[in-house]
């Protein structure tokens, strides 16, 4: 993905004139920098911010390195996104599925709402198919691959800050839990909240996770468990919490396989029910952000 865009490129992406884009830049609506030769350049993160806030549809998402949006993908009520995404995932229509989600994102939808809404709903329905249809296994595997591409693409859009001084967020899932999406979503939300995210993914032994915490000294640790049989014993979780506490990190526990009450409530440990709650914790725990009122 490009690091900057010219006013002409951003104007093409939004279907507006280059003169309008330059006028908005002169008024401060779009933050620009200038090259040595005096040419305006717009950082990709600023271009994405403006595109989401301006209210103009992105008519050429390929300018942002994304798949074009087909008319039939977006000409429906956004309230039906979960149903349409499910149909696209079942059909293996990866480009259309990605375009649908990206279109909603550039229309101003938030990552937590996309993750907790259409993506979660569609993948849940896909996961039930194998109970009554043998094809459900390959459908779920294919849909998971498409969903991972979507989350990775969103992660690349929000993770534009490459400052080495960002606080670190680190996490993964336990051994015996092969579900990739929850930890990937956590990484995307952490990136959007300003962290340098380190996603160790599922099937990560507690010892490995604690070693990584000790090495990277994160401000935030997430631990997500989808499979109940893979949930660590309280003693193993205590090992993780001790390492996080030594790093002065806040810990987020979650996932349908992580029972409430597994550990006693603590001021630096949160058991969260959804990605919206995790995103709020990311913002709260980021030491570089102003304290919430």
């Amino acid at each position: 993905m490009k690091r900057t865009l010219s006013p002409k490129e951003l104007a093409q992406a939004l279907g507006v004139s280059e003169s309008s884009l330059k006028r908005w830049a002169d008024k401060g609506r779009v933050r620009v920098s200038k090259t040595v030769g005096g040419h305006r350049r717009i950082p990709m993160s600023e271009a994405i911010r403006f595109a989401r806030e301006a209210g103009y549809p992105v008519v050429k998402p390929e300018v942002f390195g994304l798949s074009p949006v087909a008319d039939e993908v977006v000409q429906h009520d956004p309230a039906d996104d979960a149903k349409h995404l499910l149909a696209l995932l079942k059909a293996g229509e990866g480009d259309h599925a990605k375009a649908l989600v990206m279109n909603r994102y550039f229309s101003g939808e938030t990552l937590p709402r996309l993750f907790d809404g259409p993506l979660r709903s569609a993948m849940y329905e896909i996961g039930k198919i194998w109970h009554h249809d043998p094809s459900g296994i390959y459908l779920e595997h294919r849909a998971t691959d498409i969903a991972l591409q979507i989350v990775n693409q969103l992660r690349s859009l929000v993770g534009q800050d490459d400052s080495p001084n960002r606080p670190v967020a680190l996490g993964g899932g336990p051994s015996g839990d092969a579900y990739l999406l929850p930890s990937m979503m956590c990484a995307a939300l952490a990136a959007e909240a300003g962290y340098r995210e380190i996603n160790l993914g599922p099937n990560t032994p507690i010892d490995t996770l604690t070693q990584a915490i000790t090495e990277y000294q994160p401000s935030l640790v997430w631990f997500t468990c989808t499979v109940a049989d893979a949930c660590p014993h309280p003693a193993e979780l205590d090992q993780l919490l001790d390492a996080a506490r030594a790093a002065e990190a806040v810990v987020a526990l979650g996932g349908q396989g992580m029972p409430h009450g597994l550990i006693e409530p603590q001021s630096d440990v949160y058991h969260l029910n959804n990605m919206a709650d995790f995103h709020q914790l990311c913002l709260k725990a980021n030491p570089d952000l102003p304290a919430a009122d």
Side-chain angles (χ1 to χ4, degrees), residues 187-204:
L189 293 173
E192 186 181 54
Y195 292 86
R196 179 165 67 93
E197 77 281 13
I198 300 173
N199 177 25
L200 302 182
N203 269 320
T204 302

Side-chain angles (χ1 to χ4, degrees), residues 3-273:
R3 297 177 66 85
T4 63
L5 296 177
S6 67
K8 180 178 180 180
E9 288 173 321
L10 183 54
Q12 289 175 338
L14 300 180
V16 299
S17 68
E18 184 179 357
S19 60
S20 294
L21 206 292
K22 289 181 177 178
R23 184 171 64 252
W24 295 332
D26 291 339
K27 292 181 178 180
R29 289 187 62 190
V30 187
R31 294 186 294 273
V32 302
S33 60
K34 288 191 176 181
T35 66
V36 175
H39 299 289
R40 292 183 176 95
R41 300 301 296 178
I42 304 168
M44 182 61 75
S45 58
E46 171 63 9
I48 293 170
R49 182 204 64 78
F50 179 75
R52 281 171 49 79
E53 293 183 2
Y56 292 95
V58 177
V59 298
K60 288 191 175 182
E62 54 268 33
V63 172
F64 294 102
L66 306 175
S67 302
V69 180
D71 290 341
E72 63 268 23
V73 170
V74 298
Q75 291 178 350
H76 66 264
D77 188 338
D80 293 330
D81 278 350
K83 180 180 70 176
H84 284 266
L85 183 58
L86 173 61
L88 293 170
L89 291 176
K90 288 173 68 175
E93 295 285 350
D95 285 344
H96 282 186
K98 285 185 283 187
L100 185 154
V101 177
M102 295 305 149
N103 181 68
R104 292 295 175 251
Y105 176 72
F106 275 103
S107 296
E109 190 61 282
T110 66
L111 292 192
R113 285 177 63 87
L114 288 171
F115 292 166
D116 287 333
L119 273 168
R120 180 177 183 176
S121 177
M123 290 304 300
Y124 176 76
E125 293 300 324
I126 289 282
K128 295 194 300 184
I129 296 175
W130 67 269
H131 291 289
H132 56 82
D133 186 342
S135 68
I137 295 176
Y138 81 73
L139 289 177
E140 182 176 11
H141 287 194
R142 187 176 64 187
T144 297
D145 180 62
I146 296 171
L148 287 170
Q149 292 178 49
I150 291 171
V151 175
N152 260 325
Q153 201 163 65
L154 288 167
R155 183 178 175 184
S156 71
L157 291 175
V158 301
Q160 296 293 321
D161 185 356
D162 57 2
S163 169
N165 297 321
R166 288 177 296 158
V168 173
L170 181 151
S175 297
D177 186 341
Y179 283 83
L180 296 161
L181 274 170
S183 197
M184 185 73 74
M185 290 179 176
C186 287
L189 293 173
E192 186 181 54
Y195 292 86
R196 179 165 67 93
E197 77 281 13
I198 300 173
N199 177 25
L200 302 182
N203 269 320
T204 302
I206 292 290
D207 287 346
T208 300
L209 190 56
T210 56
Q211 288 173 1
I213 292 171
T214 300
E215 177 177 349
Y216 288 102
Q217 295 291 293
S219 300
L220 175 68
V221 173
W222 74 81
F223 188 73
T224 175
C225 181
T226 304
V227 180
D229 290 344
C231 185
H233 294 105
E236 292 180 293
L237 277 180
D238 284 341
Q239 179 185 346
L240 183 152
L241 298 181
D242 287 344
R245 192 165 290 113
E248 300 183 355
V250 171
V251 178
L253 304 176
Q256 63 188 30
M258 181 75 68
H260 282 268
L262 187 62
I263 60 171
E264 294 183 5
Q266 300 171 55
S267 61
D268 54 354
V269 181
Y270 296 80
H271 193 134
L272 306 179
N273 296 313

